[in-house]
Amino acid sequence: MKYFKRILLVAGALLLAFAGWLALTPMPDGVPVLEYHMVNDADNDEGWAYNVPPEEFRQQLDYLQQQGYTTITMLEFMKAKKGKLELPDKPIILTFDDGYEDNYTTMLPMLEERGMKAVVYMVTNDIGRPNYLSWDQLRDMQDRGIEIGSHTANHQPLTHLDPEKQAEEMRLSKLLMEWNGIRTVFSFSYPNGAYTDAMPGMLAENEYLTAVTGDAGLNTFATNPYLLQRVNIPHPRFGLTEFKLRLWKAAVMTKLGVKQH
C-alpha cells in the first residue's frame, strides 16, 4: 500500500511539473490545419463520428474569428512559402475529406457568411454518387474560393497497396478532376492520414505541391510540404471546449516534437 501511494505521489509530481512546463514556456508558432468531414444533423451510426452538426460548426467558426484567425488555402500557404504572398497574422487552414454533398449545401454558405475559405479533398470516383458532391458543385465551389484537392481515386489505404497502384491512385484522381474542368489540383490528402517514406517523392513526380497527414501539430515553412501536420475535428462530445482542446493539442504536439515533420 505504501509502495502504491509512493508511485501515485511521484506520478502526480511529474504531472504537475509537466503542466507547469507547458504553462510557463511559450507555445510554438505555426499554421494549424483542421480536418473535417461532414457538416450536418445526421444521427446515424455510420457517419456520426465524422459529423459536426451545423450549430457546433457555427460556434467553431465564430470562435476562430474571435481569436483572430484568418482562413487560407493550401495553395496560398505555398505561395507565401515561395515569397509570392504575405500571410495574415494568424492563418489557419480548414480541410474537408471525402467530398460530401453537405460541404456544398451547408458548409459553404456558413463559410461565405464569414468571408472564410477551405480546402475540399475529393475521392474522385465518388463524385456524383448519392450524398457526394457533383461535378457542377465542385466547379462552383472552386469559383467561390474553395480549393479542390485529391483524396485519391478510390479511397483505398495507400500503405496497403504496391507502389505502382499508389502512384496510379495519385495520378488518376488528379487527371480526372482536371479533365472535368477543375482547375489545377495541387494538394493531396492521404487516406486515413497514413503514408510511407516514398510517397512524398511520388506526389512531387505527379506535380502535387502539398499533402496532409493525420499527425497533429502546427506547420511552418520548414515543415515538409508533403507531410503537413493536421488535427482531426470529430463529432464533438463536449461542445466548444473540446474544439479548443483540439487546437491546443496541435500546439502541444509540436512543442513536444511528437511526429513532427
Side-chain angles (χ1 to χ4, degrees):
M1 192 65 166
K2 290 182 179 180
Y3 180 71
F4 181 68
K5 287 182 178 179
R6 192 172 300 166
I7 291 175
L8 286 178
L9 286 173
V10 171
L14 290 173
L15 184 60
L16 284 173
F18 176 69
W21 175 73
L22 285 178
L24 296 175
T25 56
M27 282 295 187
D29 292 324
V31 181
V33 178
L34 308 187
E35 175 187 354
Y36 290 94
H37 292 83
M38 307 173 187
V39 182
N40 62 51
D41 285 313
D43 197 23
N44 59 73
D45 292 338
E46 182 180 352
W48 187 86
Y50 302 100
N51 172 41
V52 177
E55 181 55 35
E56 300 269 8
F57 186 61
R58 183 177 294 109
Q59 292 177 21
Q60 293 174 5
L61 296 182
D62 290 343
Y63 174 76
L64 291 176
Q65 290 198 317
Q66 291 164 10
Q67 295 301 305
Y69 284 103
T70 300
T71 53
I72 63 170
T73 64
M74 283 292 171
L75 184 56
E76 288 172 333
F77 177 80
M78 288 305 292
K79 285 182 177 179
K81 180 175 180 175
K82 295 181 179 181
K84 297 181 179 180
L85 185 75
E86 186 173 341
L87 291 180
D89 290 338
K90 289 184 69 174
I92 192 168
I93 303 176
L94 310 182
T95 67
F96 295 78
D97 278 6
D98 301 334
Y100 296 101
E101 188 176 22
D102 60 55
N103 291 182
Y104 183 80
T105 58
T106 304
M107 176 271 281
L108 180 59
M110 294 174 72
L111 291 186
E112 289 183 326
E113 286 175 10
R114 296 161 177 79
M116 301 174 85
K117 306 173 182 178
V119 183
V120 170
Y121 290 109
M122 192 71 218
V123 179
T124 315
N125 286 337
D126 284 339
I127 297 173
R129 290 179 54 202
N131 300 320
Y132 287 89
L133 293 163
S134 69
W135 287 111
D136 286 341
Q137 288 170 333
L138 280 168
R139 288 187 286 263
D140 187 44
M141 291 179 84
Q142 194 172 52
D143 289 340
R144 293 160 68 177
I146 302 297
E147 181 177 347
I148 306 301
S150 166
H151 199 31
T152 73
N154 297 291
H155 203 276
Q156 295 178 314
L158 293 183
T159 53
H160 297 176
L161 305 178
D162 61 58
E164 183 178 343
K165 186 62 177 177
Q166 292 170 355
E168 182 180 282
E169 286 286 319
M170 297 172 183
R171 181 176 63 255
L172 291 182
S173 61
K174 177 177 170 67
L175 288 176
L176 185 59
M177 283 194 280
E178 292 174 357
W179 287 343
N180 280 275
I182 302 300
R183 293 187 294 277
T184 308
V185 174
F186 289 110
S187 193
F188 186 84
S189 173
Y190 298 106
N192 305 317
Y195 53 89
T196 66
D197 291 341
M199 287 182 190
M202 297 167 68
L203 288 168
E205 290 174 3
N206 283 283
E207 300 183 342
Y208 287 97
L209 299 180
T210 61
V212 289
T213 70
D215 301 329
L218 300 175
N219 300 283
T220 69
F221 293 151
T223 306
N224 186 329
Y226 297 107
L227 295 173
L228 293 172
Q229 318 289 150
R230 187 165 65 151
V231 62
N232 183 42
I233 308 297
H235 186 101
R237 294 171 175 82
F238 306 106
L240 196 57
T241 298
E242 180 179 345
F243 180 70
K244 295 175 183 178
L245 288 173
R246 294 275 172 174
L247 288 172
W248 184 72
K249 175 184 177 181
V252 169
M253 295 297 276
T254 294
K255 188 170 183 174
L256 296 176
V258 179
K259 287 189 176 181
Q260 300 301 294
H261 309 296

